Amino acid sequence: MFDIFKKSTNNTNENIALEQEMIETQVRFFTFIDKLETKLIEFAEASLPELTDLGNNDIDEYKRGYQKMKAAVIGQIDSIRKKAYDVKEEKILPFQGRTDSYYIFRNECYEKYDKLEKLCNHYRNRVENTYTEDYEAAYEAILTEHTNIKNKFFCSQCGSNILIDKIYFTTTYLSCSACQTQNTFEPSSQAKSLEHLGRSLAEQRTKHLLDEHNELPNKMQELYLEKHHLEISLHTEKDKKIIEQKQAQISQIEAQQKVLETKKPQLYQTYLRAMFDEWNKINPALTQEHEKFYIRLLNDSNSTI
């Protein structure tokens, strides 16, 4: 940190004054980011238990109180991120092209900003996960209900038992094997929820696969910053051996970047297939419709690669 004088190759009085200004700017920027980081941690850590409690105890069907508070907390986190970004753009970029040390200065300031941005993402994710509906419990309740009623439906004409052989989530006409009368079976509101519950539960069961996919951009950003830092350091490096070592490191990072770029669509497709397999298990009656939807999503993902 603050190695601008040492690495400069042009120490005229004018350049020294400019570099001193850059150092002072960097000190102020670091102090500003540190204050934002403290504010972020204090605010988020105080908000998380409140959100968790509200999510667990909000009796509203749509959790509107919880959702409103969660949106407000996320809005405050995003506001902190934006303040840091705006100051970074306003205070750092004006030095561009004015001195050879600019890229060292910019790199150190950007790294400081990136640490705050990662902290914002960390707390944003924790806020998003303060409440997760228990879809497994809801599904188990549907299964239990089906077990309890499957042998308790009788023909309206002759009174013969009609087996409810699967979970019906829409009004269904069942034929009596004894007298052939068509009987209307009306599922409960709980059973009717299966159509919408199925995807949410399938996504919940396979979330770890989606998280693995979604984590790749952060890993790619870390590699980019590492490579960028090495490239910037080469501008002032004179030792040929060190230059060769850093160039070899850059080549290794580029190879890792290519692996991750190839891996990203593969991970998404793995998640997508696993999610639809779970969805089909939960609601097999709609397997054909699910598969059509799967093909559309798969094609959409391939078209963006």
Side-chain angles (χ1 to χ4, degrees), residues 164-176:
I164 309 300
D165 59 341
K166 59 184 177 182
I167 299 173
Y168 293 101
F169 52 89
T170 59
T171 301
T172 306
Y173 299 101
L174 301 176
S175 178
C176 173

Side-chain angles (χ1 to χ4, degrees), residues 7 9 233-243:
K7 296 181 180 180
T9 57
S233 68
L234 285 175
H235 290 313
T236 54
E237 187 57 64
K238 302 301 181 183
D239 190 310
K240 289 184 178 181
K241 186 175 181 180
I242 294 178
I243 290 174

Side-chain angles (χ1 to χ4, degrees), residues 138-183:
Y139 181 55
E140 285 299 321
I142 293 174
L143 294 177
T144 299
E145 180 186 64
H146 174 254
T147 299
N148 291 335
I149 68 168
K150 66 180 181 179
N151 293 311
K152 297 179 181 178
F153 186 64
F154 302 94
C155 178
S156 59
Q157 182 66 30
C158 70
S160 296
N161 178 258
I162 300 176
L163 176 67
I164 309 300
D165 59 341
K166 59 184 177 182
I167 299 173
Y168 293 101
F169 52 89
T170 59
T171 301
T172 306
Y173 299 101
L174 301 176
S175 178
C176 173
S177 60
C179 68
Q180 308 307 312
T181 299
Q182 292 290 317
N183 292 264

Side-chain angles (χ1 to χ4, degrees), residues 73-305:
V73 172
I74 289 176
Q76 184 63 28
I77 292 173
D78 288 343
S79 175
I80 290 173
R81 185 207 309 267
K82 187 176 186 305
K83 284 180 183 178
Y85 177 83
D86 289 345
V87 171
K88 174 174 71 75
E89 296 297 293
E90 178 186 348
K91 301 299 183 181
I92 308 306
L93 289 180
F95 289 99
Q96 186 171 4
R98 297 172 63 189
T99 171
D100 292 340
S101 302
Y102 166 73
Y103 292 104
I104 299 170
F105 159 74
R106 185 191 69 173
N107 197 50
E108 291 181 350
C109 290
Y110 276 29
E111 283 184 357
K112 185 70 172 178
Y113 167 79
D114 287 335
K115 289 178 182 177
L116 177 67
E117 186 171 40
K118 286 181 181 179
L119 193 61
C120 286
N121 289 335
H122 166 75
Y123 278 116
R124 207 179 195 282
N125 289 334
R126 287 184 63 185
V127 168
E128 291 285 1
N129 291 317
T130 47
Y131 174 77
T132 302
E133 189 170 346
D134 193 346
Y135 296 114
E136 288 288 358
Y139 181 55
E140 285 299 321
I142 293 174
L143 294 177
T144 299
E145 180 186 64
H146 174 254
T147 299
N148 291 335
I149 68 168
K150 66 180 181 179
N151 293 311
K152 297 179 181 178
F153 186 64
F154 302 94
C155 178
S156 59
Q157 182 66 30
C158 70
S160 296
N161 178 258
I162 300 176
L163 176 67
I164 309 300
D165 59 341
K166 59 184 177 182
I167 299 173
Y168 293 101
F169 52 89
T170 59
T171 301
T172 306
Y173 299 101
L174 301 176
S175 178
C176 173
S177 60
C179 68
Q180 308 307 312
T181 299
Q182 292 290 317
N183 292 264
T184 303
F185 175 74
E186 186 67 33
S188 68
S189 57
Q190 183 171 252
K192 288 179 180 178
S193 70
L194 178 62
E195 184 176 6
H196 303 289
L197 170 72
R199 181 175 180 181
S200 297
L201 177 54
E203 289 174 339
Q204 196 172 77
R205 288 177 175 178
T206 55
K207 183 178 181 295
H208 62 288
L209 296 175
L210 184 60
D211 288 344
E212 186 178 356
H213 165 267
N214 290 341
E215 183 60 27
L216 281 184
N218 291 333
K219 293 180 180 179
M220 294 176 74
Q221 176 69 5
E222 289 174 1
L223 287 175
Y224 167 78
L225 291 174
E226 186 180 351
K227 177 186 172 185
H228 181 68
H229 183 76
L230 288 168
E231 289 173 336
I232 293 299
S233 68
L234 285 175
H235 290 313
T236 54
E237 187 57 64
K238 302 301 181 183
D239 190 310
K240 289 184 178 181
K241 186 175 181 180
I242 294 178
I243 290 174
E244 289 176 358
Q245 290 173 346
K246 289 185 176 182
Q247 288 175 336
Q249 287 179 274
I250 290 172
S251 296
Q252 290 176 352
I253 291 171
E254 289 174 342
Q256 291 175 327
Q257 287 175 320
K258 289 180 180 179
V259 170
L260 291 183
E261 287 170 2
T262 303
K263 194 176 181 181
K264 192 170 188 290
Q266 294 174 347
L267 286 177
Y268 182 71
Q269 290 170 16
T270 297
Y271 156 73
L272 205 62
R273 183 64 266 168
M275 191 277 281
F276 274 88
D277 286 344
E278 288 294 333
W279 198 1
N280 291 337
K281 292 177 188 175
I282 295 163
N283 198 346
L286 292 177
T287 295
Q288 190 172 8
E289 288 77 1
H290 293 167
E291 289 304 303
K292 290 178 182 177
F293 186 29
Y294 165 74
I295 295 298
R296 288 203 305 273
L297 292 180
L298 188 62
N299 288 339
D300 289 343
S301 69
N302 288 335
S303 66
T304 60
I305 298 175

